Amino acid sequence: MSKAPNAADKEVGKRIRLHRRERKFTQPQLAHHVGITSQQLQKYESGVNRIAVGKLVEIATALKVEMVAFFDRIPTVEPSNDNQLENPQFDFTHEALLMSTAFMSISKPLLRKRILELVQSVAAKEVEMDEFEAEIERQPAE
């Protein structure tokens, strides 16, 4: 079995970078907190190096996030040599980072919960609308 990072390892690295930026940590600051070099942290974030579980726990603790924040809804990766995810579910765009940073700045848990419910509702309605439009397109013209 290859010890090279796979697509899931790379996704975890992206999430470390996302949470580090949300918390306004620089790479040197976070690296210092967890006892590694900035270069090593950069390799973790870019997916060049795999991260040991113990080090990931230290990173989560320093960032004050639950471990699940690095793994929640990561697609299953089949063992392979191509190290590519088919149909990746996440694209960490600049807008996603801004949205996440703004969301995490809301201190009231109930308000955060309501905003999350709103966004989930809008996303569900968009899916319903897409399905409705596809159904209309399939129907023959009268």
Side-chain angles (χ1 to χ4, degrees):
M1 181 171 198
S2 172
K3 292 188 179 191
N6 63 26
D9 295 314
K10 292 174 184 178
E11 192 65 38
V12 169
K14 287 180 186 178
R15 289 170 187 229
I16 290 171
R17 180 183 305 117
L18 176 75
H19 289 290
R20 176 181 59 78
R21 288 178 175 172
E22 282 178 355
R23 304 301 185 282
K24 297 185 177 19
F25 273 86
T26 64
Q27 281 183 337
Q29 289 170 329
L30 180 57
H32 177 74
H33 278 294
V34 298
I36 60 176
T37 65
S38 298
Q39 291 81 7
Q40 182 63 45
L41 179 60
Q42 190 274 331
K43 288 178 181 180
Y44 288 158
E45 289 184 356
S46 64
V48 172
N49 287 4
R50 298 182 92 172
I51 306 168
V53 172
K55 192 54 67 180
L56 194 56
V57 169
E58 291 178 37
I59 290 170
T61 301
L63 294 174
K64 297 181 179 162
V65 298
E66 298 291 326
M67 286 287 290
V68 71
F70 300 129
F71 301 106
D72 187 37
R73 296 193 287 179
I74 286 184
T76 302
V77 178
E78 294 295 325
S80 69
N81 291 329
D82 65 0
N83 293 329
Q84 297 296 317
L85 280 179
E86 291 183 28
N87 302 320
Q89 294 179 1
F90 299 100
D91 180 17
F92 288 109
T93 62
H94 181 67
E95 290 87 2
L97 178 60
L98 292 173
M99 177 75 98
S100 181
T101 301
F103 182 79
M104 293 308 295
S105 71
I106 299 169
S107 62
K108 295 186 168 113
L110 183 58
L111 181 56
R112 278 201 313 263
K113 181 180 177 189
R114 295 291 187 236
I115 291 170
L116 177 59
E117 290 169 353
L118 172 66
V119 171
Q120 288 172 328
S121 175
V122 169
K125 291 294 181 195
E126 183 178 29
V127 169
E128 288 176 20
M129 194 63 177
D130 289 345
E131 291 170 356
F132 176 73
E133 290 170 354
E135 181 64 30
I136 289 174
E137 288 175 10
R138 285 192 295 268
Q139 293 178 356
E142 294 183 24

